[in-house]
Amino acid sequence: MLAPLAVAAALCAFAASAGAQMLPRVKATPAPAAPKDAPGADTPPPPITLMADDVVSHIGNVTQASGKVEVKRLDMDLHADYLTYDQLSDTAHAQGNVRIDRGLDWFSADRVDLELTRDAGTLVGTQYELGARKAGGHAQRIELIDRNRSTAYDANYTSCTRDGTSEPDWIITGDKIDIDTSTNEGKAQHARLVFLGVPILAAPSLTFPVTAERKSGWLPPTADISNRSGVALSAPYYWNIQPDVDATLSAGASTRRGAELSGELRYLQPNDLGQVTTYLLPDDMAEQNETRGALEWAHEGSRSDWLTYSARIQRVSDSKYWIDFPGQMPSLTQRLLPTDLSGTRRFLPFGDAGEIDAYARVERFQTLQDPDEKDPSSLISSPYQRSPQIGLRGNVNLADQVRLDFEAEGNRFDLSDQGAFNNAVAFNNAAAGFNVPNCLGPVYASQLDGCSLTDKRVGGSRAHVIASLSRSFSSDWGHFEPKLAINGATYRSDITSDGTRIDTTRWVPTLSGDSSFSFERQTELFGRGLVQTLEPRFLYVLTPRRNQTDLPLYDTAPKDFNEVSIYSTNPFTGEDRIADENQLTAGVSTRYNDETNGRELLRVGIAQKFLFSDQQLTTDNYLQTNPAADKQKVSDVLLYGSSSAMEHWSFDGIVEVNPSSSSSLTQRAVVSARYHPGPFRSLSLTYRFANGTSGGNGANGPNSGSGASQQYEVGGQWPVYHQPPRANGCGGTLYAVGRVDYSVTDSRATYAIGGLEYDAGCWIGRVLVERTSTGSQQSTTHLVLQLELNGLSTLGTGSLRVLKDNVPGYQPLRNDPGASAATPNSQ
């Protein structure tokens, strides 16, 4: 009969024969030291509770229990078939199906000696699991030193299931394994790492993380394989400097380039966060022993709401760096590397009625050209660099009726990379053996007739002021906002090669009225209750004509033609061009929303501009010295829409149509479809088309007149094979993953990555090939081989980031935040 008793009561309640049989001890346990006097020493210790089928107390403060024995103290539970408790030594001696549950960890053993108060003791014939990792193994003996520390002898460790007779897929074995959860470190002496029965790593000492926290230590050696660097091996070291600062340092060598060093520092402070990444080739054997390297720093910070600042710096040693190491440069444009420093200070002089932001910025670029490129059209021209940009912007509500918005800004623009571009033009022309015809290559701010490829721009200064007054009228069914704006700018350029300069000021007013409406009705489609909206919108813009063809183009470009830009008052970004307009943009869209949850199932819309007078300055002629006015009365038609009405499917598209075009009705189109039936199952297809011929009335972006461009983008992640779990619990699923960008115009893949991932439950293997086009006739190929041992570390080449950044809808097969350091060393 089950008899639950408090241990204290069991020790004092009954007497029995002193010669009763007792369980043998695993080892002799010394008497505990006398407790030291300390504040709060009179606080009673946590109670110990004993439950069993049979409990007998003996003279000498010894208690015996048998049959479903359970001892509880705090979060520690001990279960056994037989138990002897010695009160003087505070030691429990247990045997027979012994199991200890302690927090997230558990131990099972044949025999146990355990000092309950100290959580210390010896376990023989043991299995164990560290719950934070769901990893553990077997040991001939385990010494529990205290709550956080233990030592296992003749032991192993794995995150694979340890049931059954077969050996786990991966396992670490060692003569001794020390585990310390307070420092997040497991250390195996004379260790071997075996994968699928094959030893892949051996070291006198191997350390690994035992909790989900980060730890310092040597990471496994890594390899990298590419057609430009050969085989590279490196030994990284992870340094957990403090909870909010860490670093990874690595030294290695490649077969084609020699020794290399790299480092990464990350920090996360209460008001600042950032990352610094460096790479150095002290003596590149592939480039005449040239020293090469890269630096990247990204930072964001703030001081409450009144001051924010940021920095982004990317720099490399030479102009061919982007060709040899494209994977190291996560930039929007790998050939224009930014240096961008900015800060904003907010003021509230108007209380709740408005605010003013003072800002400053320095923006520069490093432009990379391939000195061996024979096609001049592959050269790029560096944009103007701001050094600096200083300004004020703000808003204030006047009498709660009229809103005043304003901006005042000064910029200094320069072209520090202009000489490199012109030298590359001259070199490539000479290497090609012929004179390049005018306008063959890109035309960047080449405002001179003849479109010479040589960059003849000059720097200068610009100050501008923008102010607007608007009044908003709103109701439940509509909104109307009239606005009067003025844009003034003054220019003073540097002296040109012919000894002239631009020194002028221009003012451009704009009157606009923006109105939108929203109507709803209940409807039903395919037996589904829906709410349909009808949303017309009208924007009228009146801007007088101002001659701007002689002004520089510092930061101005045509806006993309989409559902946002078609309702803007100016088709250009920046302040150097403001189109003359007397036009009405009219459009309507409709949405179908699920009436039960409000989810948007379908959205379609159409918009077009109607011109009431000829337009002198358009996005098609803004580069011309004497542009001819556009006399068309309507712009291209914009069609757009998206849908998720079909289960697991989503569609999105935007199409620009020119009804009056004789060559091509469609001017531009971006259409995409995605199928996502469940986790780790995603397929996507995107089609992009751009007609090279001109559109009408400033609706289109700049066109080169070089013909149509077509591109397909296909990508996804999908399981292709599944293996049921084996006897040891490890099954597996094979996934195909990849993406291809194929240019129909160039008849080649501009980017491709593809391969296989295998998830075996306790490990993940990846084999991927990445190909990046770095020129019209060249590319870089990178082989990615990875073995991710769950609960331990990742071995191999490449980074999982390449899949996250490039494969649409990709989901990582496992998120294991603590598997960052498996450390071989020579101790």
Side-chain angles (χ1 to χ4, degrees):
M1 186 174 87
L2 186 64
L5 299 172
V7 171
L11 295 176
C12 303
F14 304 103
S17 171
Q21 181 66 35
M22 299 178 63
L23 295 175
R25 296 185 178 183
V26 175
K27 69 170 186 176
T29 303
K36 298 180 180 179
D37 295 335
D42 57 347
T43 302
I48 299 174
T49 303
L50 169 67
M51 295 183 291
D53 290 344
D54 185 38
V55 177
V56 178
S57 182
H58 303 278
I59 295 175
N61 295 322
V62 175
T63 299
Q64 286 185 293
S66 62
K68 298 181 181 179
V69 180
E70 181 179 0
V71 178
K72 289 181 175 288
R73 182 182 181 273
L74 297 176
D75 65 343
M76 188 276 293
D77 286 353
L78 186 152
H79 299 263
D81 294 336
Y82 305 99
L83 179 138
T84 297
Y85 178 73
D86 188 336
Q87 185 183 17
L88 292 179
S89 63
D90 188 35
T91 303
H93 311 283
Q95 69 180 27
N97 298 314
V98 183
R99 180 184 171 99
I100 298 175
D101 293 290
R102 191 173 65 178
L104 298 176
D105 306 335
W106 63 260
F107 306 86
S108 66
D110 297 331
R111 293 187 298 163
V112 170
D113 277 353
L114 184 66
E115 296 181 42
L116 299 180
T117 303
R118 291 179 53 224
D119 280 321
T122 302
L123 297 78
V124 174
T126 304
Q127 296 185 54
Y128 68 98
E129 179 174 284
L130 307 179
R133 283 289 192 188
K134 298 297 181 184
H138 298 78
Q140 188 274 331
R141 185 175 89 254
I142 293 181
E143 298 286 349
L144 300 180
I145 300 172
D146 55 30
R147 175 73 182 183
N148 298 313
R149 295 177 297 159
S150 62
T151 299
Y153 296 90
D154 292 330
N156 56 46
Y157 175 87
T158 181
S159 66
C160 297
T161 302
R162 295 167 297 283
D163 299 333
T165 58
S166 60
E167 184 173 301
D169 284 1
W170 72 265
I171 192 168
I172 292 177
T173 61
D175 295 344
K176 183 175 73 170
I177 297 180
D178 297 310
I179 294 174
D180 189 342
T181 57
S182 63
T183 60
N184 183 27
E185 183 175 80
K187 179 183 292 185
Q189 301 294 332
H190 301 99
R192 289 198 316 160
L193 174 59
V194 179
F195 177 67
L196 298 180
V198 178
I200 61 174
L201 183 64
S205 177
L206 178 72
T207 65
F208 52 90
V210 295
T211 72
E213 302 298 325
R214 304 188 306 270
K215 65 173 289 290
S216 298
W218 288 98
L219 302 176
T222 62
D224 191 84
I225 305 172
S226 72
N227 65 327
R228 303 195 69 87
S229 297
V231 179
L233 298 175
S234 62
Y237 181 84
Y238 176 77
W239 183 14
N240 188 28
I241 302 173
Q242 56 189 46
D244 50 8
V245 181
D246 64 8
T248 302
L249 308 174
S250 179
S254 67
T255 56
R256 295 186 181 180
R257 301 193 178 276
E260 59 183 23
L261 302 170
S262 63
E264 178 184 86
L265 173 69
R266 301 183 302 177
Y267 52 92
L268 178 60
Q269 306 293 330
N271 297 312
D272 299 274
L273 63 93
Q275 177 174 312
V276 180
T277 305
T278 61
Y279 178 79
L280 176 65
L281 276 172
D283 197 10
D284 189 354
M285 298 185 302
E287 292 294 333
Q288 284 132 21
N289 302 108
E290 178 184 354
T291 299
R292 308 180 73 188
L295 169 68
E296 180 178 7
W297 177 40
H299 178 89
E300 293 182 5
S302 65
R303 292 296 180 268
S304 186
D305 292 332
W306 55 270
L307 177 62
T308 60
Y309 44 88
S310 66
R312 188 186 180 199
I313 298 176
Q314 286 186 329
R315 281 295 179 267
V316 296
S317 57
D318 55 273
S319 60
K320 287 186 62 177
Y321 199 91
W322 66 283
I323 299 173
D324 294 333
F325 312 101
Q328 293 183 15
M329 306 169 66
S331 175
L332 293 176
T333 304
Q334 292 184 330
R335 300 177 62 181
L336 286 175
L337 305 184
T339 294
D340 194 337
L341 309 175
S342 65
T344 302
R345 172 68 159 92
R346 176 165 295 178
F347 301 90
L348 300 173
F350 314 114
D352 296 336
E355 64 184 34
I356 295 177
D357 290 338
Y359 56 92
R361 182 184 188 188
V362 174
E363 183 183 31
R364 305 186 69 82
F365 297 92
Q366 181 183 7
T367 307
L368 307 182
Q369 312 283 3
D370 180 8
D372 299 325
E373 178 62 60
K374 300 301 187 296
D375 182 5
S377 64
S378 296
L379 297 175
I380 63 171
S381 179
S382 174
Y384 278 98
Q385 316 200 54
R386 302 175 191 264
S387 35
Q389 174 189 26
I390 301 174
L392 290 172
R393 67 168 64 97
N395 62 79
V396 59
N397 293 318
L398 306 176
D400 295 328
Q401 299 289 325
V402 178
R403 176 185 172 100
L404 170 64
D405 293 272
F406 57 90
E407 176 180 287
E409 183 180 291
N411 290 270
R412 168 63 190 173
F413 298 96
D414 65 67
L415 292 161
S416 60
D417 284 347
Q418 186 180 48
F421 173 79
N422 289 333
N423 289 339
V425 169
F427 176 83
N428 288 348
N429 290 353
F434 59 88
N435 293 324
V436 179
N438 290 339
C439 302
L440 175 63
V443 181
Y444 294 93
S446 180
Q447 302 164 58
L448 306 175
D449 290 333
C451 301
S452 172
L453 279 177
T454 302
D455 190 353
K456 298 180 179 179
R457 297 174 296 166
V458 296
S461 301
R462 184 193 70 199
H464 73 261
V465 176
I466 305 173
S468 66
L469 287 172
S470 61
R471 169 72 188 275
S472 180
F473 302 88
S474 299
S475 68
D476 294 338
W477 51 269
H479 173 82
F480 175 63
E481 182 179 51
K483 179 186 291 186
L484 177 62
I486 185 73
N487 185 311
T490 181
Y491 295 85
R492 181 175 176 82
S493 72
D494 296 340
I495 299 177
T496 64
S497 57
D498 58 5
T500 63
R501 74 185 329 155
I502 299 173
D503 192 351
T504 186
T505 301
R506 63 109 176 103
W507 293 91
V508 182
T510 297
L511 174 66
S512 65
D514 190 0
S515 59
S516 59
F517 307 91
S518 179
F519 308 100
E520 294 184 357
R521 73 180 182 108
Q522 301 289 327
T523 187
E524 186 174 307
L525 189 63
F526 302 116
R528 195 174 196 172
L530 303 173
V531 176
Q532 182 189 7
T533 67
L534 185 66
E535 303 173 26
R537 183 175 178 183
F538 304 94
L539 172 67
Y540 175 75
V541 180
L542 177 61
T543 302
R545 183 175 302 171
R546 295 291 187 269
N547 184 15
Q548 303 168 69
T549 56
D550 293 333
L551 299 180
L553 279 168
Y554 290 138
D555 59 358
T556 295
K559 293 179 181 177
D560 190 23
F561 190 50
N562 54 45
E563 58 186 292
V564 175
S565 65
I566 197 171
Y567 288 107
S568 63
T569 57
N570 184 28
F572 295 97
T573 62
E575 310 304 329
D576 299 318
R577 295 293 184 271
I578 300 178
D580 53 296
E581 296 178 318
N582 182 13
Q583 62 188 26
L584 175 69
T585 302
V588 62
S589 63
T590 182
R591 292 181 295 157
Y592 288 87
N593 301 328
D594 192 308
E595 67 176 1
T596 59
N597 55 28
R599 187 168 70 94
E600 183 179 281
L601 303 178
L602 176 66
R603 176 180 62 93
V604 293
I606 182 173
Q608 188 174 27
K609 292 184 178 182
F610 300 89
L611 281 67
F612 304 120
S613 60
D614 298 343
Q615 187 172 340
Q616 185 70 35
L617 181 62
T618 71
T619 55
D620 294 322
N621 65 18
Y622 76 105
L623 292 175
Q624 301 174 11
T625 304
N626 298 302
D630 192 336
K631 299 182 179 298
Q632 294 188 17
K633 298 303 180 184
V634 294
S635 73
D636 293 350
V637 179
L638 182 70
L639 306 172
Y640 55 90
S642 62
S643 174
S644 59
M646 296 176 59
E647 187 177 9
H648 309 315
W649 285 89
S650 61
F651 302 89
D652 189 80
I654 180 169
V655 180
E656 178 185 343
V657 177
N658 184 359
S660 62
S661 174
S662 59
S663 59
S664 175
L665 179 67
T666 302
Q667 298 300 305
R668 288 194 311 146
V670 179
V671 181
S672 62
R674 181 184 176 196
Y675 178 57
H676 182 58
F680 314 113
R681 288 171 167 82
S682 178
L683 298 173
S684 66
L685 171 64
T686 300
Y687 172 72
R688 302 178 186 274
F689 171 82
N691 187 18
T693 59
S694 298
N697 299 309
N700 302 304
N703 299 298
S704 63
S706 59
S709 170
Q710 298 183 71
Q711 179 171 300
Y712 290 93
E713 299 172 7
V714 182
Q717 176 186 27
W718 200 264
V720 295
Y721 171 77
H722 176 71
Q723 174 184 325
R726 302 192 298 276
N728 66 351
C730 287
T733 303
L734 183 68
Y735 296 86
V737 61
R739 169 182 170 174
V740 176
D741 296 350
Y742 182 79
S743 172
V744 178
T745 307
D746 300 327
S747 299
R748 66 188 179 101
T750 57
Y751 177 81
I753 182 172
L756 299 171
E757 293 184 297
Y758 185 74
D759 185 356
C762 60
W763 61 272
I764 296 172
R766 295 185 181 90
V767 179
L768 303 167
V769 177
E770 181 185 21
R771 181 183 182 276
T772 304
S773 176
T774 54
S776 58
Q777 302 296 328
Q778 62 183 356
S779 62
T780 298
T781 303
H782 184 211
L783 177 63
V784 177
L785 301 173
Q786 282 189 349
L787 177 60
E788 184 177 326
L789 304 179
N790 298 334
L792 185 67
S793 188
T794 298
L795 312 175
T797 67
S799 169
L800 192 59
R801 178 178 175 179
V802 69
L803 292 177
K804 296 178 182 178
D805 291 347
N806 294 288
V807 177
Y810 175 78
Q811 291 181 266
L813 302 183
R814 186 87 71 253
N815 289 317
D816 190 7
S820 59
T823 308
N825 55 56
S826 58
Q827 295 181 4

